[in-house]
Amino acid sequence: MEIDALALSLTYQFGTNAAFLFLSALGLIVILGMMNIINLAHGELMMMGAYAATIANNQFGLPFPLAVIVSFFAVAIFGAILELLIVRRFYGRELSALVVTWGISLILGQGTFLVFGPFMPAIKIPGGSYSYGGFSFSEYWLVLIGISISLVIGLYWLYRYTSYGLQARATMQNAEIAKALGVPTNRVYTLTFSLGAGLAGLSGALLAPTSTIAPFMGQQFVAPAFITVVVGGATNVISGAVGSSVLLSAIKTPIGMAYGAFLGTVALLVAALVIIRIMPDGISATLQKIMDRRRARHTL
Amino acid sequence: MLTKLTMDILLVENVVAGYQSSNVLQGVSISLSEGEIISVVGRNGVGKTTLVRTIMGLLPVRSGRIEFAGKQITSKAADHRARQGIGYVPQDRGIFPDLTVEENLRMGRFIGTKRNSLDFESVFNNFPFLKERLHQRGGTLSGGQQEMLAIARALINQPKLLLLDEPSDGVQPSIVEEIGQFLLQLKATGEVTVLLVEQNFDLLQTVSDRAYAMEKGMVADQLSVDDLNNDEILAAHIAM
């Protein structure tokens, strides 16, 4: 009975850790992974999503799920404006983009502090919790795990099967050729950045009930987000991010349960270092090499 | 010469264009009639690739004008020109390495004004090897295979004009020959006009109706089929 509960709890912890890593990385998967922009304002975009959800929920009385959807669109529109006014001047200039997005992050953080003050009223965690064998399981985290899985499927579908997805992947690989083949690449860039920003806002809103809502709350997501995307690699950003969230969580969870959360996080960082040392282009590049080799064997 | 029997599909008049600090094209004029295969020959560095890129819209025209299918396109962006029906195969082929062969082919569907259902059937007839490799990544194909994929991609939605920049570059002779035979078949249909930049004698002599010889960013001479078939005349315009 106790083994059962322990196994169940381990699985649940594993799921929540993986979902947390994936949700933290969600917008960055698109903006860093696909567009190759080192977006240091990622945390602030998530913060904006959390604020949008809080305001929609507390001030306007929207039900929480609706507030999350509103956050997605609000931050997506903000992202589109950011791209049109600022970010598009810095494509292909990675270090300039890094400095510029850092500046944007400072302005957003301080601006929020000036307008809304140091704290926002918290959003109550929706749903209750179950307990089994001395462990407790939050309903909301189970929902977040489910949402993470749906987002993976949704993003995979968007980039694999839609016309926008094909145009976006082609544009990010070679913008000049995509343009010469009739793709309105400027519009694709705006849309893609806007989607990335919107997704960051969405995950900020989803994680809002689990965290303190404050102007600089975004910082806590930045490190896990970058680690997840970089360990996943740019070759196939979606499978990369899934692979790295699952792998990193598989290392963090048991060590965290046995030796405490702090050592769990240390283990995650060590694991990330080791993985990047072994697979410098990330998990997805290694997966692709294996696939290519298998395909080549089939056609020979 | 007041009345022409066939329409000019492409008209380039006194075009000056180039890169940041210097002009490579110093007033180039060429015209292509429907259904022809016209070649551009010249030594390395005379501006052949620059001319193709300028026609495609990847380099801005500093003076002069370009007309395509009766419409002025001088200041239109490359994606607009592609949607009007200009297909482009760059010298490095421009295959998207991480898209599959099928996805690379699908990328050809924004070329041209019609949004036809893509004609994979005729692609497989012309280049059967693509059928077996549909789900392989573009980057895993050999140079010659990539060249054929790039040509198939440019033609899949029936453009009016095909710009081909050195298809023989880095491609083994048997495949160059295959490409030549394919271009002859394409010409026989009369549906596509081809502007071919090339240095390979065999390919030039197999497919060209006539050619422009470039020197120092200008058209120095026009070559007839007879000129092209004379190795000495051709060599004088290509080799050192």
Side-chain angles (χ1 to χ4, degrees), chain A residues 159-160 163 166-167 169-171 173-185 235 288 292 295 299, chain B residues 53 56 58 78-79 82-83 88 90 94 96-99 103 106-107 109-111 132 135-137 140 153:
Chain A
Y159 281 108
R160 179 67 57 188
S163 174
L166 182 60
Q167 290 192 12
R169 283 187 296 142
T171 302
Q173 277 175 49
N174 190 337
E176 181 175 83
I177 295 301
K179 201 171 170 65
L181 292 175
V183 175
T185 48
T235 311
Q288 188 180 71
D292 281 352
R295 287 251 160 74
T299 41
Chain B
R53 287 169 57 84
M56 190 63 238
L58 296 171
D79 53 326
R83 288 194 298 272
Y88 173 53
F96 299 106
D98 290 331
L99 298 188
E103 288 169 336
R106 287 191 182 283
M107 283 302 295
R109 81 183 165 109
F110 310 108
I111 299 171
E132 299 143 36
H135 303 295
Q136 209 170 311
R137 286 192 310 115
T140 62
R153 176 177 71 183

Side-chain angles (χ1 to χ4, degrees), chain A residues 118-155:
Chain A
F119 291 109
M120 287 286 273
I123 296 182
K124 199 174 81 60
I125 295 193
S129 61
Y130 307 103
S131 70
Y132 179 74
F135 295 101
S136 91
F137 307 93
S138 140
E139 237 174 35
Y140 186 63
W141 269 108
L142 294 174
V143 170
L144 286 187
I145 294 168
I147 290 176
S148 299
I149 294 168
S150 330
L151 283 168
V152 170
I153 295 168
L155 274 179

Side-chain angles (χ1 to χ4, degrees), chain A residues 58-125:
Chain A
N58 289 350
Q59 251 108 307
F60 296 95
L62 281 184
F64 184 66
L66 226 61
V68 170
I69 293 168
V70 167
S71 312
F72 170 80
F73 285 106
V75 184
I77 291 167
F78 179 77
I81 296 168
L82 211 56
E83 199 276 345
L84 288 169
L85 293 183
I86 301 171
V87 176
R88 73 167 31 181
R89 287 158 227 275
F90 298 95
Y91 290 133
R93 294 159 58 191
E94 281 164 44
L95 288 179
S96 313
L98 179 148
V99 175
V100 163
T101 54
W102 186 45
I104 293 170
S105 119
L106 293 178
I107 294 169
L108 291 178
Q110 297 292 345
T112 307
F113 182 74
L114 284 177
V115 175
F116 296 100
F119 291 109
M120 287 286 273
I123 296 182
K124 199 174 81 60
I125 295 193

Side-chain angles (χ1 to χ4, degrees), chain B residues 75-137:
Chain B
S75 55
K76 299 282 189 207
D79 53 326
H80 176 92
R81 296 185 197 196
R83 288 194 298 272
Q84 292 299 307
I86 302 182
Y88 173 53
V89 178
Q91 193 170 358
D92 64 3
R93 295 146 203 145
I95 294 304
F96 299 106
D98 290 331
L99 298 188
T100 63
V101 167
E102 183 182 353
E103 288 169 336
N104 267 287
L105 287 170
R106 287 191 182 283
M107 283 302 295
R109 81 183 165 109
F110 310 108
I111 299 171
T113 43
K114 287 176 246 158
R115 289 289 165 268
N116 299 327
S117 55
L118 297 181
D119 192 359
F120 281 99
E121 211 44 34
S122 75
V123 167
F124 299 149
N125 281 336
N126 293 318
F127 306 109
F129 77 96
L130 288 174
K131 191 167 188 173
E132 299 143 36
R133 291 170 194 268
L134 269 186
H135 303 295
Q136 209 170 311
R137 286 192 310 115

Side-chain angles (χ1 to χ4, degrees), chain B residues 35-186:
Chain B
E36 285 184 307
I37 296 186
I38 306 299
S39 297
V40 176
V41 300
R43 298 187 181 99
N44 286 329
V46 296
K48 305 184 299 291
T49 292
T50 308
L51 174 64
V52 173
R53 287 169 57 84
T54 306
I55 293 170
M56 190 63 238
L58 296 171
L59 289 171
V61 174
R62 299 219 166 101
S63 81
R65 57 197 288 273
I66 302 177
E67 221 174 74
F68 171 67
K71 279 184 204 146
Q72 167 100 340
I73 57 164
T74 315
S75 55
K76 299 282 189 207
D79 53 326
H80 176 92
R81 296 185 197 196
R83 288 194 298 272
Q84 292 299 307
I86 302 182
Y88 173 53
V89 178
Q91 193 170 358
D92 64 3
R93 295 146 203 145
I95 294 304
F96 299 106
D98 290 331
L99 298 188
T100 63
V101 167
E102 183 182 353
E103 288 169 336
N104 267 287
L105 287 170
R106 287 191 182 283
M107 283 302 295
R109 81 183 165 109
F110 310 108
I111 299 171
T113 43
K114 287 176 246 158
R115 289 289 165 268
N116 299 327
S117 55
L118 297 181
D119 192 359
F120 281 99
E121 211 44 34
S122 75
V123 167
F124 299 149
N125 281 336
N126 293 318
F127 306 109
F129 77 96
L130 288 174
K131 191 167 188 173
E132 299 143 36
R133 291 170 194 268
L134 269 186
H135 303 295
Q136 209 170 311
R137 286 192 310 115
T140 62
L141 298 184
S142 73
Q145 291 172 334
Q146 290 195 10
E147 185 65 46
M148 293 190 271
L149 173 58
I151 293 173
R153 176 177 71 183
L155 291 173
I156 201 165
N157 200 27
Q158 293 154 7
K160 299 190 198 97
L161 173 66
L162 177 65
L163 306 175
L164 262 182
D165 196 352
E166 290 216 35
S168 75
D169 185 33
V171 171
Q172 65 188 80
S174 66
I175 293 186
V176 175
E177 204 170 301
E178 223 176 289
I179 292 172
Q181 292 308 313
F182 170 72
L183 289 176
L184 282 180
Q185 285 174 33
L186 188 70

Side-chain angles (χ1 to χ4, degrees), chain A:
Chain A
M1 205 52 174
E2 227 183 45
I3 296 291
D4 275 13
L6 188 68
L8 198 63
S9 171
L10 201 64
T11 314
Y12 165 80
Q13 286 296 335
F14 164 75
T16 53
N17 282 331
F20 175 79
L21 286 170
F22 179 77
L23 287 175
S24 300
L26 186 57
L28 204 64
I29 293 172
V30 175
I31 292 177
L32 173 64
M34 290 195 68
M35 306 182 78
N36 204 21
I37 299 169
I38 302 170
N39 179 23
L40 291 185
H42 177 68
E44 277 62 39
L45 294 175
M46 289 182 72
M47 176 272 291
M48 286 181 72
Y51 269 70
T54 310
I55 293 166
N57 187 229
N58 289 350
Q59 251 108 307
F60 296 95
L62 281 184
F64 184 66
L66 226 61
V68 170
I69 293 168
V70 167
S71 312
F72 170 80
F73 285 106
V75 184
I77 291 167
F78 179 77
I81 296 168
L82 211 56
E83 199 276 345
L84 288 169
L85 293 183
I86 301 171
V87 176
R88 73 167 31 181
R89 287 158 227 275
F90 298 95
Y91 290 133
R93 294 159 58 191
E94 281 164 44
L95 288 179
S96 313
L98 179 148
V99 175
V100 163
T101 54
W102 186 45
I104 293 170
S105 119
L106 293 178
I107 294 169
L108 291 178
Q110 297 292 345
T112 307
F113 182 74
L114 284 177
V115 175
F116 296 100
F119 291 109
M120 287 286 273
I123 296 182
K124 199 174 81 60
I125 295 193
S129 61
Y130 307 103
S131 70
Y132 179 74
F135 295 101
S136 91
F137 307 93
S138 140
E139 237 174 35
Y140 186 63
W141 269 108
L142 294 174
V143 170
L144 286 187
I145 294 168
I147 290 176
S148 299
I149 294 168
S150 330
L151 283 168
V152 170
I153 295 168
L155 274 179
Y156 181 82
W157 174 81
L158 179 71
Y159 281 108
R160 179 67 57 188
Y161 294 110
T162 67
S163 174
Y164 156 75
L166 182 60
Q167 290 192 12
R169 283 187 296 142
T171 302
M172 302 315 152
Q173 277 175 49
N174 190 337
E176 181 175 83
I177 295 301
K179 201 171 170 65
L181 292 175
V183 175
T185 48
N186 284 344
R187 205 189 314 157
V188 169
Y189 273 114
T190 310
L191 258 175
T192 306
F193 191 86
S194 164
L195 176 70
L199 289 173
L202 176 80
S203 56
L206 287 171
L207 292 171
T210 72
S211 113
T212 311
I213 299 173
F216 307 107
M217 65 182 282
Q219 300 302 327
Q220 65 185 305
F221 305 115
V222 174
F226 274 86
I227 291 169
T228 306
V229 176
V230 171
V231 168
T235 311
N236 182 329
V237 284
I238 299 163
S239 69
V242 173
S244 72
S245 341
V246 168
L247 196 61
L248 292 173
S249 169
I251 289 159
K252 181 187 173 176
T253 310
I255 293 179
M257 272 183 100
Y259 304 106
F262 175 72
L263 282 181
T265 305
V266 171
L268 182 147
L269 292 174
V270 171
L273 281 176
V274 171
I275 294 170
I276 292 170
R277 186 72 188 79
I278 304 171
M279 317 181 212
D281 294 320
I283 293 174
S284 61
T286 305
L287 279 177
Q288 188 180 71
K289 259 182 228 148
I290 296 168
M291 295 285 280
D292 281 352
R293 235 176 276 144
R294 283 183 54 193
R295 287 251 160 74
R297 217 176 295 140
H298 279 298
T299 41
L300 276 178

